[in-house]
């Protein structure tokens, strides 16, 4: 078996320990004589999985009892529509802070459903910073404030929680489970699974219970958070395999010491990669230092003409998926939970050698 170091932005690396359990489990899951993909989501085995999965997630994130844990399909993108649909009426106003492409997309969805106020927007500098909170133009009567905790493309992360009294709705797709958070700072947290949770196909939504009642009465069943809350997320057939893998990932995280332990590893990984970039005259990261992402590290080479060579040689060295997003150019190393520290060490070593030979 040959595994590479995978820096994909998503779907992203999964822990090898989890993949090995899956391989073992597939033909005969829990003595059922079937794989987890072949059994009813209403079987006692699967319901047991769902209960353990939620209990473990609640432990990992210290989710308070007055919050519901929902699992949906449709990815984070569907939650960009479900948030305004569930939290607003057509005459409501919502505040959006747009610090990257995902936030822009979320704001676009909200604008279709209610009055959109762009409280702040960092597109003037190609989404390389978070505008100072004191300058945000917030409305008096917003139903909520939306932020993207980590902008996966430009590599910009909130290192603070915005103030104010209205519920904060946060897209945490690429930051969830990377460190402890205070769930009660938020009204709603949503995250597609394929960065830090598991395979694509399942989406996590954490909603404060008083926000579950939809503000409109004509929503399709599957577009109402309340439906998921009332059915233990078995409103219709859920993506059982993705749910099963998420359960294994949560068990794995608890096994390594939970999010405090994970955060320490992630901090070391990010610090050493940024330090290597900053120490070099050949590589650079364009993001303002106090809002750099710990999960997605974009960097550009001194000469874009070397990009193709960098990608070819890194691939040959067993380092994959380093190509940057087309809107940013250059490279991007996504160093999610399942990317081991030794992968970051190998990348740093490769970068130094590439600079020595081509810089
Ligand atoms: C990946 C990503 C999305 C899109 O997620 P889907 O599951 O593909 O809908 C949205 N927001 C952020 C911050 C992301 O990283």
């Amino acid at each position: 078996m040959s595994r590479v170091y995978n820096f994909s932005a998503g779907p992203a690396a999964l822990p090898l320990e989890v993949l090995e359990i899956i391989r073992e489990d597939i033909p005969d899951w829990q003595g059922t004589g079937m794989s987890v993909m072949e059994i009813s989501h209403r079987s006692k085995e699967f319901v047991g999985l769902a209960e353990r999965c939620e209990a473990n997630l609640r432990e990992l994130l210290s989710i308070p009892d007055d919050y519901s844990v929902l699992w949906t399909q449709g990815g984070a993108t569907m939650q960009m529509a479900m948030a305004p649909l569930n939290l607003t009426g057509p005459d409501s106003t919502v505040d959006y802070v747009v610090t990257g492409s995902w936030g822009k997309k979320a704001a676009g969805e909200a604008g279709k459903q209610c009055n959109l106020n762009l409280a702040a927007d960092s597109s003037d500098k190609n989404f390389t910073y978070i505008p100072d909170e004191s300058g945000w133009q917030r409305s008096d009567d917003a139903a909520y404030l939306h932020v993207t905790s980590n902008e996966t493309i430009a590599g910009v992360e909130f290192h603070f929680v915005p103030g104010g009294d209205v519920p904060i709705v946060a897209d945490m797709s690429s930051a969830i489970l990377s460190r402890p958070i205070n769930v009660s700072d938020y009204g709603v947290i949503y995250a597609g699974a394929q960065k830090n949770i598991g395979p694509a196909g399942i989406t996590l939504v954490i909603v404060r219970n008083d926000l579950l009642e939809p503000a409109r009465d004509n929503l399709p069943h599957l577009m109402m958070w309340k439906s998921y809350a009332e059915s233990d997320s078995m409103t219709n057939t859920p993506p059982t395999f993705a749910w099963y893998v998420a359960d294994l990932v949560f068990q794995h995280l608890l096994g390594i010491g939970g999010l405090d332990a994970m955060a320490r590893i992630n901090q070391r990984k990010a610090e050493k990669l940024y330090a290597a970039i900053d120490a070099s005259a050949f590589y650079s990261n364009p993001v303002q230092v106090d809002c750099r992402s710990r999960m997605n590290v974009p960097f550009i080479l001194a000469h874009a003409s070397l990009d193709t060579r960098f990608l070819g040689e890194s691939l040959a060295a067993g380092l994959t998926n380093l190509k940057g997003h087309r809107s940013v150019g250059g490279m991007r190393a996504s160093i999610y939970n399942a990317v081991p520290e030794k992968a970051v060490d190998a990348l740093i070593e490769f970068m130094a050698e590439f600079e020595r030979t081509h810089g």
Side-chain angles (χ1 to χ4, degrees), residues 74-77 80 102 148 150 152 171 173-174 192 194-195:
T77 305
M80 292 175 187
W102 291 115
T148 309
N150 182 62
T152 317
D171 177 356
S173 296
S174 51
Q194 65 275 20
K195 282 79 184 229

Side-chain angles (χ1 to χ4, degrees), residues 129-149:
Y129 72 109
I130 294 176
D132 194 74
E133 196 181 357
S134 61
W136 294 2
Q137 307 284 318
R138 294 176 66 168
S139 34
D140 301 329
D141 55 348
Y144 63 83
L145 170 75
H146 184 283
V147 295
T148 309
S149 296

Side-chain angles (χ1 to χ4, degrees), residues 268-285:
R268 276 205 308 271
K269 280 152 55 183
E271 261 170 20
K272 62 171 88 166
L273 183 50
Y274 284 115
I277 293 168
D278 290 345
S280 127
F282 182 74
Y283 302 105
S284 62
N285 166 279

